[in-house]
Amino acid sequence: MLNDNHYARVSDFEPMEAELKATRQYLHANPELSLEEAETARYVAEKLEAWGYEVARNVGGHGVVARLKNGTGTKSIGIRADMDALPILEETGLPYASKTPGKMHACGHDGHTTVLLGAAEYLARTRRFDGTVTLIFQPAEENGKPSGAQKMIEDGLFERFPIDAIFGLHNHPGAPEGTILTRSGPMMASSDTVNITIKGKGGHASRPHLTIDPIVVACNLVVSLQTVVSRNIDPTQTAVVTVGTIHAGEAVNVIPEYAKLALSVRCFEPKIRELLERRITKLARSMAEAYDATIEIDYEHGYPVVANSEAETDFARLVAQELIGSDKVATCPLIPGSEDFSYFLERKPGSFLRLGNGLDSAILHSPKYDFADGSLTVGAALWARLAERFLAE
């Protein structure tokens, strides 16, 4: 094992700070949406090739996988960064704001890509590790299903590029810049979408007795759905059932044939996820039956729970504490948002971390959001040190 002084430190990246900022701001100014990341992938791949990595392009779409072997070690660590932007009109007014109206890095993927590129350059230059570093630059994290993670896995990611464990990170608005948050076990929620179509019998508003009013069914169902969490889920658990849309009717004097609802369902445990589906489905069918309506339910499973393995999370926490001190490493709260890194964790042990983006940072997916450049050196140093330490174990 290397002496602690030989592992990457934040100070090692301070001479690279201007370069990291330039890279991040270039990516921010040139965002590409999910499934469109061709130029971003080219930019990333060319840098990695110049540093001596063996690079595979077009993995699961525009995915880039880079490998670097050193020494005789047989272990391999995987580290992932996402690359896609969002369909949002930027309102930051920054000099490096998006050059493409309606497309914006509003979730910090420009920063995630940059810190992994910074670590890649450092690891290639210093080569103070024994084994294989596998860097995964993922497209289409924001795409929903199929997501970039799913597409890379389907394209043989883990068969073509074997790894022993995988790590990733996301910036965290509300935590001080340069801090690191970790959490073992469930960390981010599963996300399911339920589309419900209630078919009634339309007619004139003045003769409701001759109709089956789907609006009445829908409204009663919305109210009843509020009891799913409050009366079916253990109060010590966390779950959300939100009716996000409800559409029915076009004219005030017409009872329509159909009413449509769309639900967002989130939780942190597979058993709770199953219970939510069972109760929502039964409640919706029972409500329709009570009013002599018919119903169609499309229950779509989205991203699974991000569940970090204990050993890898403990290891990542230790490395973070070594890097920046225990006072700057905190326990991450449960996050009701979702992440397709969960698909990787279903197949490999690993951990998803959070990197502080500033106490006053705009929220994610806001048109005023920007990744905190003050966190770049910490993020890059974290990945470099984690790789060195993992491959020295």
Side-chain angles (χ1 to χ4, degrees), residues 17 46 143 180 189 262 287 337:
E17 188 171 6
E46 289 182 358
N143 190 56
I180 296 168
M287 188 66 67

Side-chain angles (χ1 to χ4, degrees), residues 40-84:
T40 303
R42 181 201 62 77
Y43 177 85
V44 166
E46 289 182 358
K47 281 184 174 291
L48 294 163
E49 287 168 344
W51 296 330
Y53 284 80
E54 177 186 328
V55 176
R57 306 188 188 209
N58 302 317
V59 180
H62 293 300
V64 177
V65 180
R67 305 196 91 196
L68 187 65
K69 298 180 181 180
N70 194 61
T72 59
T74 58
K75 291 181 68 176
S76 176
I77 183 174
I79 306 176
R80 172 269 210 172
D82 39 16
M83 300 187 293
D84 55 326

Side-chain angles (χ1 to χ4, degrees), residues 188-210:
M188 298 182 69
S190 60
S191 176
D192 297 332
T193 300
V194 191
N195 289 291
I196 299 174
T197 300
I198 300 164
K199 185 179 186 301
K201 180 180 178 183
H204 200 286
S206 67
R207 294 176 173 82
H209 62 294
L210 301 177

Side-chain angles (χ1 to χ4, degrees), residues 331-364:
T331 299
C332 186
L334 287 172
I335 298 170
S338 304
E339 239 285 348
D340 76 341
F341 191 79
S342 53
Y343 291 111
F344 296 140
L345 291 174
E346 285 187 328
R347 290 160 176 81
K348 294 290 179 179
S351 190
F352 196 60
L353 315 176
R354 305 283 288 196
L355 178 65
N357 203 63
L359 296 173
D360 298 322
S361 169
I363 62 173
L364 299 172

Side-chain angles (χ1 to χ4, degrees), residues 221-233 279 283:
L221 179 56
V222 170
V223 172
S224 296
L225 285 170
Q226 307 312 304
T227 67
V228 171
V229 173
S230 67
R231 289 298 175 267
N232 297 121
I233 304 301
R279 290 298 302 140
L283 191 58

Side-chain angles (χ1 to χ4, degrees), residues 257-297:
E257 291 276 330
Y258 298 95
K260 297 184 178 182
L261 295 78
L263 285 62
S264 178
V265 182
R266 298 170 184 266
C267 66
F268 294 91
E269 295 287 348
K271 289 184 178 180
I272 299 297
R273 194 180 192 187
E274 293 172 5
L275 175 58
L276 289 168
E277 179 174 2
R278 190 164 63 248
R279 290 298 302 140
I280 289 168
T281 301
K282 185 173 183 179
L283 191 58
R285 293 194 186 286
S286 298
M287 188 66 67
E289 183 181 357
Y291 286 91
D292 288 331
T294 59
I295 194 165
E296 295 178 3
I297 303 171

Side-chain angles (χ1 to χ4, degrees), residues 90-146:
E90 183 162 355
E91 297 177 4
T92 63
L94 294 165
Y96 51 86
S98 172
K99 296 178 182 178
T100 309
K103 299 180 183 181
M104 178 193 174
H105 271 296
C107 202
H109 297 187
D110 50 342
H112 305 164
T113 297
T114 299
V115 297
L116 191 51
L117 284 174
E121 190 277 334
Y122 175 88
L123 290 166
R125 174 165 42 85
T126 59
R127 294 182 183 256
R128 291 202 294 254
F129 63 90
D130 185 21
T132 302
V133 173
T134 302
L135 308 181
I136 302 163
F137 292 85
Q138 181 204 305
E141 189 279 326
E142 303 284 3
N143 190 56
K145 295 185 70 174

